[in-house]
Amino acid sequence: MPSRATVMRVTISACGTAYYAGLVAKYWLEHIARVPVEIDIASEFRYREAPMPEGGLAVFISQSGETADTLAALRYCKANGQHIASVVNVHTSSIARESDSVLLTLAGPEIGVASTKAFTCQLAALACLAIGIGRARGTISREEESKYVEGLMEVPRLISTLLRDESQFVDLAQQLSQSRDVLYLGRGVSYPLALEGALKLKEISYIHAEGYAAGELKHGPIALIDDNVPVIVVAPEDELFAKTISNMQEVAARGGQLIMISDSDPVAAGCEQAVHISVPKVNPLASPLLYAIPVQLLAYQTAVSRGTDVDQPRNLAKSVTVE
Ligand code: M6R
């Protein structure tokens, strides 16, 4: 690894769901380790001829470790003197072999085309990376490190709680399965979750879905809202919660059907029109890992309700080894 003094910037590159894990990691690395992060989709990054800083760290995220664009981005960064770290699930893969440091996600084989457990395990590995860099750079204390780690350790129990009763997802999914378009909104670390929710729904149910940063609503997507468009909001009660609620009120005023995935009650929050998917309270660092579950379950149950092939959706391959 480059030394503490020489890490000028972290560059993250990945595709699809792995890219969304990288977007979450950008928030963590900037917030916890106070290191600037550049992130791009690998298929864009590889052709941009981006100038790379000396002593930079380049991070590649890939379940398969064989995604052609991610591998090409890695080779570009290597040729430009970056330290190469990868977050991969397959330890024998090309990306793992060509990396200087490897963080294995240890998710076990992922057979279904849609990335699910790989995503949550990528998040867990990236959270540990951010905490580790934060400690090495002295931006967090040992006590803060312990709090973050405790927050992460709680996640499996909280996920079990969520999985104990899927009935709230089944009912909602039946309604969603009738929709033509669905919008997902989120702010901060929940913005990549909105993107991921939309991707999962598209992939396995073939319903058109878009994810947006909630603050972008007024800059275009609000024009789509009417009483036929479900708007799913990823809204943990964090420091941006009040702003997200205000976006939800804008949706409600235009007749949008709100679904709020949150640890806070919509009525108490001032958004009584929203259907609530209740999520247990969690340390804010760990919220993307926990909120990934309702987002995945909604897509899964919607696909089941429509009778589509959840494991092998049409036109998709598990690993994209060509451009
Ligand atoms: O194997 P990788 O993680 O590099 O794959 C990246 C994407 O192709 C992958 O995440 C894709 O978007 C999934 N089908 C999403 O569910």
Side-chain angles (χ1 to χ4, degrees), residues 11 45 52 58 60 72-82 84:
T11 302
F45 177 83
M52 308 301 299
F60 301 89
L74 179 157
R75 288 176 178 157
Y76 176 86
C77 289
K78 198 169 212 177
N80 282 272
Q82 304 300 288
I84 307 295

Side-chain angles (χ1 to χ4, degrees), residues 15-18 61-65 67 113-115 122 199-200 203 320:
C15 298
T17 289
I61 309 162
S62 175
Q63 188 285 132
S64 61
T67 299
V113 165
S115 177
Q122 284 162 352
L199 179 64
K200 280 286 104 74
E203 272 190 302
V320 184

